[in-house]
Amino acid sequence: MKNMKTALTSLVSSAMLFAANCASAMTVDTGPAPAGPPSAPPPVNWHAISMFVVFVGVTLYITYWAAKQTKSAADFYAAGRGVTGFQNGLAMAGDYMSAASFLGIAALVYMNGFYGLIFSVGWLVGWPIILFTVAERLRNLGKYTYADVVTFRLRQGPVRTMAAIGALIVVVWYLIGQLVGAGQLLHTLVPQISYRVSITIVGILIMLYVTFGGMKATTWVQIIKAGLLLGGATLMALGVLAHENFSFAKLFSDAVALHPKHLDIMKSVVPIGAKANPIESISLGLTLIFGTAGLPHILMRFFTVTDSKAARKSVMYSTCFIGYFYILTFIIGFGAIVMVANHPEYVVDVTKNILALKGGVNMPAIYLSHAIGGDFFLGFIAAVAFATILAVVSGLTMAGASALSHDLYAQVIMKGKPTEKQEVFVSKMSCIGFGILAIILGIAFEKQNVAYIVALTFSIAACTNFPILVLSIFWGGLTTRGAVLGGYTGIFGSIGLLIVGPTVWTKILKMGPAIFPYDFPTFVVLPLVLIVAYIVSVTDNSESAKQEREAFAAQMLRAETGIGAEKAAVH
Amino acid sequence: MPESIASKIHSNPKFVKLCKQRDTLGWILSLIVCVMYFGFTLMIAFTPDILTAPIASDSVIPLGMPLGVGIILMSCVLTGIYVFKANNTYDPIMKEIIEEATK
């Protein structure tokens, strides 16, 4: 314990040293740029920096506190299973409301109007499905990861490997999307900090939170972030409504009058300018609803609560928080049309395009905060956006590290025989590895087109993680062979069709017209996974398959009653 | 769990009935969410004109907007219904069943 404290102190001080170096680098960078038009260097955004430093300070203190209490594997992976339903509801909301949903949905609405709501609705409806189908049973059956549940009565090696691969692909790509967003955001807001330095700061903070504080620190980072984000978004929506005399009718008609596409923003069922495509719309719908229900970092949070009752309540709270938040982002997006578009201070060139903003497509919500509350509020919202990224990346790192250490190392490689100490050690090493990987990937993907990331992560979650989880819980006939072949069908089917789809094949690889003409492959892959898992399972006449079917009764009993479920640790 | 407790619970008709009730509620509520959401999705796919028609002749607000917001609000309400029912009806019965089997 003492060692850890010293290690933590030295890491914190080295992080501070690093921050100081960044600060001195910043002053060097503020000198006149060698190229480009001669313009005054942008002033340092001290509001954003100071609020961000306060957030980091508080969260590092929490990490220090959590590290002192994190002893066992259950502490590390599952916060000692002592999280209440309300706390977990907020933490899940904090885990899920990413910068993509805050800045991204506001930006989608800003550009396309109504179309943004389709994403909000799709990203929310997965939550009630999680509650009605898997939430309590997940808590009753599992220990640390959703793979625990899938392998409850199936063979550890092959099934867990498949489930861990599914989890890792989702986590790593989700991570890349978050990091590229974080680097660009921080660099835009505080131009004195370069993209690479931004990514490195994120990577180091994540390593500190997760390696030392485990799930406990992650949970509190997510709770604080959820509170800040909900509070900040509420103030922004109120600012918009105050500007519009608290009339939604006025807000929407002003937006229609100001937006260059006018009434088209109320008729956009696809991005403005794109051709309507019914099959793509349906496939997107399937991907959003079932993808949400298959995200490993969300499913992992169910093991942190005391019992199945708290698991249940936490989904109710998170659904309400997230639903409320999505309604706010919709108001924020329309508010940005009215209060940000066509304003020369935010727009690149108002004479050419009144929508194109300085700093890129994700900026409408950020500038709206400036239009409402000046530099101070912009600083606050910028710090909130950054806190959002840190919280989501912490959750992803936790999920990725547990897939590596608990699933692959402890259960597959060591066949469930490592000591708890060994397992926790490996998971801490995995966290550090993930932090380093995050920095490398974040920098490697700086200039890459990452437009396919949402489709990739949500497709694999919707086509592999979620259907295999549901089958393993509800269908006694599922066998090891069925789960493995079904799962790999989902993983390789999604990846394969995405590669030959329009975004990757045509836009990124420039190979000409796409072989598979849809961005979201779920409508093909999901039914295929179910068919493969079914046919392979029912035709499996092996002795082990027979035993697996027989073991379903005991699994069902534990899932329904909670007898034998992992108990909350007593501290 | 000891075999005797397991078989006692399995053979308790109250347990079988409770599981059935809870499953039925879960599937019905899931079905409601799916019908609402895929109804919305199918309108996006096949009848976008109806979905984007203004709610009143003097309004710019399309029908899809209150529908979308309505689905979000209904999702919250349905999770509330499930949690209320599970906490107040199913949990006490399950507790009884477990007590009967373990005493």
Side-chain angles (χ1 to χ4, degrees):
Chain A
M1 196 59 245
K2 203 166 180 198
N3 282 340
M4 192 143 105
K5 227 190 253 175
T6 357
L8 184 59
T9 333
S10 69
L11 256 167
V12 169
S13 52
S14 59
M16 283 180 170
L17 206 73
F18 177 79
N21 286 337
C22 296
S24 59
M26 265 153 52
T27 42
V28 176
D29 280 357
T30 44
S39 63
V44 178
N45 189 337
W46 288 114
H47 294 291
I49 293 180
S50 48
M51 277 181 262
F52 177 62
V53 167
V54 170
F55 175 81
V56 169
V58 171
T59 48
L60 284 179
Y61 180 75
I62 288 173
T63 305
Y64 172 74
W65 164 82
K68 284 197 291 187
Q69 301 189 6
T70 297
K71 297 184 185 86
S72 66
D75 291 333
F76 184 79
Y77 290 119
R81 304 190 206 283
V83 180
T84 68
F86 181 77
Q87 289 168 345
N88 196 42
L90 261 180
M92 279 185 166
D95 209 0
Y96 189 65
M97 298 182 294
S98 61
S101 52
F102 177 45
L103 305 178
I105 291 183
L108 267 180
V109 174
Y110 173 79
M111 295 303 291
N112 300 295
F114 176 73
Y115 179 65
L117 187 67
I118 295 173
F119 280 82
S120 302
V121 173
W123 270 325
L124 185 75
V125 286
W127 285 92
I129 300 291
I130 293 178
L131 172 64
F132 306 148
T133 56
V134 296
E136 298 166 39
R137 296 171 177 97
L138 210 57
R139 174 64 185 83
N140 284 342
L141 292 173
K143 208 170 170 190
Y144 307 130
T145 63
Y146 88 95
D148 290 336
V149 180
V150 178
T151 56
F152 193 87
R153 65 190 165 87
L154 303 181
R155 285 230 319 278
Q156 290 291 336
V159 180
R160 207 178 269 269
T161 306
M162 179 278 297
I165 291 174
L168 283 169
I169 294 175
V170 173
V171 164
V172 170
W173 286 94
Y174 212 106
L175 196 70
I176 294 173
Q178 292 289 315
L179 284 166
V180 173
Q184 287 167 350
L185 178 76
L186 198 64
H187 179 55
T188 310
L189 293 169
V190 190
Q192 293 83 359
I193 303 179
S194 73
Y195 176 88
R196 287 175 181 210
V197 173
S198 313
I199 296 279
T200 313
I201 293 174
V202 175
I204 289 179
L205 285 171
I206 295 308
M207 274 189 257
L208 288 172
Y209 292 154
V210 180
T211 311
F212 292 103
M215 191 51 123
K216 205 164 258 176
T218 304
T219 302
W220 283 101
V221 169
Q222 288 169 343
I223 290 176
I224 295 173
K225 163 267 172 105
L228 286 172
L229 185 57
L230 289 167
T234 303
L235 288 177
M236 283 175 79
L238 282 176
V240 168
L241 290 175
H243 183 264
E244 298 295 306
N245 303 332
F246 291 96
S247 158
F248 282 104
K250 181 166 158 27
L251 171 65
F252 294 128
S253 49
D254 284 358
V256 167
L258 277 158
H259 198 286
K261 300 287 178 192
H262 300 295
L263 209 52
D264 280 356
I265 63 169
M266 293 299 184
K267 300 195 179 302
S268 51
V269 291
V270 289
I272 287 180
K275 238 176 88 198
N277 185 334
I279 292 177
E280 186 84 281
S281 294
I282 292 169
S283 197
L284 171 69
L286 285 168
T287 311
L288 295 179
I289 185 171
F290 297 125
T292 303
L295 295 175
H297 60 297
I298 300 291
L299 296 176
M300 190 185 184
R301 291 223 51 94
F302 284 106
F303 306 115
T304 67
V305 293
T306 43
D307 54 17
S308 61
K309 192 174 193 157
R312 197 190 282 152
K313 277 196 202 158
S314 55
V315 193
M316 181 186 74
Y317 289 121
S318 57
T319 308
C320 295
F321 289 130
I322 297 167
Y324 170 69
F325 172 72
Y326 280 157
I327 292 173
L328 295 180
T329 55
F330 197 60
I331 298 171
I332 290 169
F334 273 100
I337 297 175
V338 177
M339 297 172 73
V340 172
N342 208 14
H343 287 62
E345 48 188 319
Y346 310 126
V347 175
V348 179
D349 184 353
V350 275
T351 56
K352 285 191 184 131
N353 181 348
I354 64 162
L355 291 179
L357 298 177
K358 294 171 189 165
V361 288
N362 282 327
M363 297 306 284
I366 300 286
Y367 288 139
L368 180 67
S369 65
H370 187 264
I372 290 171
D375 285 340
F376 181 79
F377 196 43
L378 171 97
F380 175 70
I381 291 298
V384 168
F386 203 65
T388 289
I389 292 166
L390 284 178
V392 175
V393 175
S394 304
L396 290 168
T397 305
M398 243 358 266
S402 60
L404 282 177
S405 59
H406 178 64
D407 293 335
L408 292 182
Y409 167 76
Q411 302 296 332
V412 177
I413 297 171
M414 302 290 284
K415 312 250 181 276
K417 295 209 177 65
T419 64
E420 198 168 302
K421 225 172 155 184
Q422 284 172 320
E423 189 178 332
V424 172
F425 176 76
V426 171
S427 58
K428 291 196 171 183
M429 291 301 111
S430 311
C431 291
I432 295 175
F434 251 88
I436 296 170
L437 182 77
I439 296 173
I440 295 171
L441 288 175
I443 291 171
F445 278 83
E446 178 185 359
K447 303 261 187 265
Q448 304 292 314
N449 181 341
V450 291
Y452 56 89
I453 280 187
V454 170
L456 175 70
T457 52
F458 275 77
S459 295
I460 290 181
C463 298
T464 308
N465 307 355
F466 184 66
I468 298 298
L469 179 66
V470 167
L471 286 178
S472 73
I473 290 178
F474 290 99
W475 185 42
L478 184 73
T479 68
T480 294
R481 274 183 220 172
V484 169
L485 281 175
Y488 285 122
T489 305
I491 294 172
F492 292 114
S494 301
I495 295 178
L497 290 181
L498 277 163
I499 291 176
V500 298
T503 304
V504 177
W505 192 258
T506 311
K507 287 184 198 147
I508 296 175
L509 299 175
K510 309 218 186 309
M511 302 280 277
I515 298 166
F516 178 75
Y518 304 101
D519 270 322
F520 292 89
T522 309
F523 78 106
V524 178
V525 182
L526 181 58
L528 197 65
V529 168
L530 296 174
I531 293 167
V532 169
Y534 178 79
I535 292 180
V536 174
S537 293
V538 294
T539 55
D540 186 351
N541 295 319
S542 61
E543 189 55 34
S544 61
K546 201 171 146 244
Q547 287 167 7
E548 285 163 6
R549 289 186 197 106
E550 279 164 5
F552 183 72
Q555 177 193 316
M556 183 261 189
L557 198 71
R558 173 160 161 181
E560 298 294 331
T561 61
I563 297 175
E566 297 288 331
K567 294 270 187 305
V570 187
H571 277 298
Chain B
M1 150 182 10
E3 206 50 45
S4 61
I5 297 178
S7 61
K8 264 190 206 162
I9 294 179
H10 259 302
S11 57
N12 187 339
K14 276 206 293 195
F15 175 72
V16 179
K17 197 177 148 208
L18 177 67
C19 290
K20 211 174 158 189
Q21 276 182 347
R22 197 160 67 175
D23 279 358
T24 312
L25 180 72
W27 292 118
I28 288 176
L29 292 175
S30 300
L31 194 71
I32 296 175
V33 172
C34 287
V35 166
M36 285 193 311
Y37 176 60
F38 287 108
F40 185 70
T41 306
L42 289 173
M43 281 179 86
I44 292 168
F46 297 110
T47 60
D49 296 340
I50 300 176
L51 194 72
T52 58
I55 49 170
S57 56
D58 59 342
S59 174
V60 296
I61 298 173
L63 178 66
M65 212 183 271
L67 283 183
V69 174
I71 293 173
I72 292 179
L73 296 178
M74 272 304 282
S75 297
C76 299
V77 172
L78 294 177
T79 56
I81 291 175
Y82 181 84
V83 170
F84 181 82
K85 187 85 183 157
N87 285 355
N88 294 294
T89 313
Y90 300 149
D91 274 1
I93 301 176
M94 185 61 83
K95 212 174 146 209
E96 265 174 43
I97 294 169
I98 294 171
E99 272 165 13
E100 278 171 31
T102 45
K103 79 177 166 209

